[in-house]
Amino acid sequence: MRLLHTSDWHLGRSFHRVGMLGAQAEFIGHLVSTVREREVDAVVVSGDVYDRAVPPLAAVELFDDALHRLAGLGVPTVMISGNHDSARRLGVGAGLMGRAGIHLRTEPSACGTPVVLSDGHGDVAFYGLPYLEPALVKDEFAVKKAGHGTVLAAAMDRVRADLAARAPGTRSVVLAHAFVTGGEPSDSERDITVGGVAAVPVGVFDGVDYVALGHLHGCQTLTERVRYSGSPLPYSFSEATHRKSMWLVDLAADGTVTAERVDCPVPRALARIRGTLEELLADPGLARHTEAWVEATLTDPVRPADPMARLTERFPHTLSLVFDPARTADDPAVSYARRLAGRDDQQIAEDFVAHVRGAGPDPHERAVLRDAFDAVRADDAVREVAR
């Protein structure tokens, strides 16, 4: 069976205030053409279909168009919700869509109930594990401690139990939206840390033939059977070196996996350039970036006059301007944002305690802070679901 693995469409998202809907529509067209031309048997979409819980109407219309075009090909599609999606909204009409071959899996309780497709070698069971927010699903999976590892392990226990009850030789595919150990994140993914831990071990997914992951935006191979497709478009300058693609996966009769990367259309190249303003304006080696979306980091010791206007004369698609003069970390001129760069909420809070008290928090106080941040995250998740 030939699968096309994609994820993280983020329909409705912009790139530094540049609308991406046209590029997203071009990607959908490329996806449909790939399905037809490469004789794909099933499409799997591993979450973050939309960029937010309540997407703009234009994004919903593009999603509707994608579903109609995929259904029109007669090729089944299995799709899960991600941490950016509203699972309940995405899942509306799932029963009716299933009759057209579009299988939406957004309910945690259905993790162990697969979509079963068949080819000339027998059945393939597709298990959809939507993004599992630990605070919201811990009761469903009867886990004592709400964490990504525990809830995913419990969901996979259901998958393995169902698979064990099926006919010998039944092949299996799991769709999951999670941060799995070994994956390389970028700046454009929303933090899903709970209890100070964001990643789950890849061994959680043992026992199945292929795991189609979503959440991280870079295409990655964790093992031959566990892969991220990455996002089809860039959503931050940290993705400047990414090769945006999908996985074309052939699942043999014995469950053996072979995979090929299929490149996605590139709306415009990304470039990160760094130096003083005069250096960036004069360097002939930067001429290749004149048509790229540009993030310029200026190292001038004093902020120059009209830097964006001057940069856009040479690089008309400059979208981001960063000032990073060479200074020591304790220099009072160093910006607040720069001092906090790379530090999570827990670390910032602990630094504040140390600043006002003269000593950092003890282990008990660290646990209290961690629980407080987790409670806020859980409350935000509940509010988003209820919107």
Side-chain angles (χ1 to χ4, degrees), residues 123-181:
D123 290 345
V124 180
F126 290 78
Y127 297 90
L129 278 57
Y131 172 66
L132 302 174
E133 173 61 45
L136 301 184
V137 302
K138 62 183 179 66
D139 292 338
E140 166 65 33
F141 292 106
V143 297
K144 294 181 179 179
K145 185 175 181 180
H148 292 298
T150 53
V151 296
L152 266 173
M156 283 301 301
D157 285 343
R158 293 188 184 183
V159 168
R160 284 184 283 264
D162 180 86
L163 189 58
R166 295 188 176 273
T170 299
R171 290 159 289 165
S172 54
V173 175
V174 166
L175 290 73
H177 196 87
F179 185 2
V180 180
T181 302

Side-chain angles (χ1 to χ4, degrees), residues 157-225:
D157 285 343
R158 293 188 184 183
V159 168
R160 284 184 283 264
D162 180 86
L163 189 58
R166 295 188 176 273
T170 299
R171 290 159 289 165
S172 54
V173 175
V174 166
L175 290 73
H177 196 87
F179 185 2
V180 180
T181 302
E184 290 292 332
S186 62
D187 293 342
S188 53
E189 298 114 5
R190 183 182 294 171
D191 178 41
I192 59 171
T193 301
V194 173
V197 178
V200 299
V202 71
V204 164
F205 299 104
D206 286 350
V208 296
D209 293 309
Y210 184 70
V211 181
L213 293 175
H215 180 56
L216 299 186
H217 288 184
C219 182
Q220 302 171 59
T221 300
L222 303 187
T223 74
E224 286 303 306
R225 297 181 180 274

Side-chain angles (χ1 to χ4, degrees), residues 269-273 285-294 314-317:
L270 305 186
R272 304 180 101 172
I273 59 178
L286 299 179
R288 66 186 187 279
H289 299 315
T290 54
E291 294 304 316
W293 280 324
V294 169
R314 185 179 189 194
F315 307 104
H317 304 288

Side-chain angles (χ1 to χ4, degrees), residues 324-336 338-341 343:
D324 187 23
R327 294 190 174 107
T328 61
D330 57 355
D331 189 322
V334 174
S335 72
Y336 181 71
R338 185 178 171 191
R339 293 199 302 271
L340 298 185
R343 305 184 69 76

Side-chain angles (χ1 to χ4, degrees), residues 42 63 90 97 100 131 171 181 217 245 268 274 289 315 320 331-332 350 372:
F63 178 60
L90 188 65
M97 291 182 192
Y131 172 66
R171 290 159 289 165
T181 302
H217 288 184
S245 56
R268 193 179 293 277
R274 180 184 180 90
H289 299 315
F315 307 104
S320 176
D331 189 322
E350 291 182 14

